[in-house]
Amino acid sequence: MRVWAGALRAAAAPGPLTGSFRERFDFGGRDVASWFPGHMAKGLRQMRASLRRADCLIEVHDARIPLSGRNPMLQEALGIRPHVLVLNKMDLADPRRQPTVLERLKQQGCSHVVFTDCQRDGNVKKIVPLVAKLVGDSPRYHRAESTEYNILVIGVPNVGKSSLINSLRRLHLKKGKATAVGGEPGVTKAVLTKIQVCEKPLMYLVDTPGVLPPRLGDLETGMKLALCGAIRDHLVGEDIMADYLLYTLNKQQQFRYVRHYGLTEACDDIQAVLRRVALAQGRTQRVKVLTGTGDVNMTMLNYPAAAYEFLRDFRAGRLGRVTLD
């Protein structure tokens, strides 16, 4: 069981700091564990087989981490096929960073980028015409005689691949959900069958399990992926994730958390912030304390629950629109 260092020192938690913020984050010698379950290895093999039948690849990634965590194996698999990078959850990312992000991606060879918010279907309508044009302008080799377009959807876990497919179906076929959607990484467990998303042109999409590299060599990349839900929280630790989130918000001068939790000023002490979160959200726990006169039940602030709330508020956009890269 993970024990929060200050869980029993609620009353002594220090207040907000008025000095400068941390310039570097101390990971304390941690290493982001490899996260490559068996169903993902199988999914990667099937995905490579599906590539032979694909006319175009739609890579879906989280707009909050547009440069981090894009799977190198996926990029190697792109080959000569047309490629569209969809940066989903744009409603949670900082719109002021879009021009810089687009320029960086262009330097990396990504010239077809679409920002989307699958909850509102806005820019999603740009995808089918763009894919149709790219496929029409490229050689199809072994599929030249086929009138249907087969599009492979790829990406790391929990970036909204299934939500994108469902959004396309709503827009072009006026139909509902075709794939299960969840907020936990790895909901899509096996490569699914083809899903029609458009009539003219006749277009099918194949949803795939999200696939991460077998090992994340860079701690910052791993932490950003974890904050966006691409790695399960318990594998990294909600405590260090909450601290890294606070470090990032302060570094980017994103101080909406101050008002959201009723703090007096920006703070670089995660214990002080979580103490305020616990008080604001009523996150307490009953703890039995052994004393010389017997057991005493006391109500303590629940710091792990507060860390979870802090992460959840960030993921829901309640702490502002933040781009982590």
Side-chain angles (χ1 to χ4, degrees):
M1 179 185 294
R2 180 176 289 106
V3 179
W4 189 275
L8 300 179
R9 302 198 307 268
L17 304 180
T18 55
S20 60
F21 300 117
R22 289 168 286 180
E23 294 183 4
R24 296 182 62 187
F25 187 81
D26 181 12
F27 288 99
R30 293 190 185 217
D31 185 21
V32 177
S34 173
W35 191 63
F36 202 66
H39 77 266
M40 290 195 172
K42 178 184 175 185
L44 181 59
R45 289 194 299 271
Q46 288 183 310
M47 188 193 73
R48 283 174 171 155
S50 299
L51 275 171
R52 292 193 292 272
R53 302 186 298 274
D55 299 304
C56 180
L57 295 167
I58 295 180
E59 179 190 357
V60 187
H61 203 62
D62 196 310
R64 293 169 294 181
I65 45 171
L67 308 173
S68 291
R70 289 178 57 216
N71 191 296
M73 287 183 287
L74 299 184
Q75 295 179 58
E76 290 168 16
L78 296 178
I80 60 172
R81 290 170 182 76
H83 167 231
V84 176
L85 175 61
V86 173
L87 292 175
N88 195 28
K89 307 185 184 182
M90 63 177 286
D91 53 310
L92 301 176
D94 188 344
R96 298 169 297 180
R97 304 284 289 277
Q98 281 193 18
T100 305
V101 166
L102 287 170
E103 183 57 37
R104 290 280 302 277
L105 289 170
K106 190 175 181 181
Q107 292 170 5
Q108 295 177 12
C110 288
S111 52
H112 305 292
V113 182
V114 181
F115 287 89
T116 61
D117 168 12
C118 290
Q119 303 300 315
R120 295 178 177 83
D121 293 343
N123 286 357
V124 178
K125 62 185 67 171
K126 297 179 181 178
I127 294 174
V128 164
L130 176 58
V131 167
K133 182 180 186 306
L134 291 175
V135 174
D137 292 346
S138 66
R140 298 179 71 194
Y141 303 112
H142 59 290
R143 292 185 44 77
E145 296 176 5
S146 176
T147 56
E148 65 184 43
Y149 294 174
N150 283 326
I151 315 301
L152 192 63
V153 182
I154 57 178
V156 300
N158 207 24
V159 290
K161 297 182 296 297
S162 298
S163 295
L164 175 67
I165 289 177
N166 293 332
S167 181
L168 287 167
R169 282 174 63 84
R170 276 198 306 273
L171 278 169
H172 298 282
L173 292 179
K174 311 302 181 192
K175 292 184 179 179
K177 292 184 178 181
T179 68
V181 177
E184 281 283 306
V187 165
T188 309
K189 291 291 195 297
V191 174
L192 301 178
T193 53
K194 293 195 302 184
I195 301 162
Q196 185 181 348
V197 292
C198 191
E199 199 76 56
K200 294 181 180 180
L202 183 57
M203 189 176 293
Y204 293 93
L205 286 162
V206 178
D207 189 20
T208 62
V211 183
L212 276 177
R215 185 172 179 81
L216 293 166
D218 181 85
L219 281 167
E220 295 257 357
T221 298
M223 199 61 69
K224 290 174 184 178
L225 282 162
L227 285 177
C228 292
I231 301 175
R232 292 183 187 273
D233 293 350
H234 70 272
L235 294 176
V236 181
E238 290 92 340
D239 48 1
I240 193 170
M241 288 171 61
D243 196 17
Y244 182 80
L245 174 58
L246 178 64
Y247 159 78
T248 302
L249 293 174
N250 288 332
K251 185 178 178 182
Q252 295 194 12
Q253 298 188 348
Q254 294 265 13
F255 298 130
R256 189 163 159 182
Y257 73 89
V258 176
R259 184 174 73 252
H260 187 75
Y261 298 122
L263 290 161
T264 56
E265 61 185 340
C267 175
D268 206 24
D269 186 329
I270 189 59
Q271 289 243 49
V273 172
L274 293 184
R275 181 175 186 274
R276 187 64 218 165
V277 174
L279 288 169
Q281 305 286 349
R283 296 300 175 187
T284 60
Q285 59 185 347
R286 299 284 290 174
V287 179
K288 184 178 288 187
V289 180
L290 302 177
T291 68
T293 57
D295 297 349
V296 178
N297 287 323
M298 297 183 65
T299 300
M300 297 288 192
L301 296 180
N302 190 336
Y303 280 78
Y308 173 74
E309 289 293 333
F310 188 40
L311 296 173
R312 195 167 75 161
D313 284 341
F314 162 72
R315 290 166 177 164
R318 289 188 282 268
L319 305 182
R321 299 176 67 175
V322 181
T323 298
L324 297 173
D325 284 336

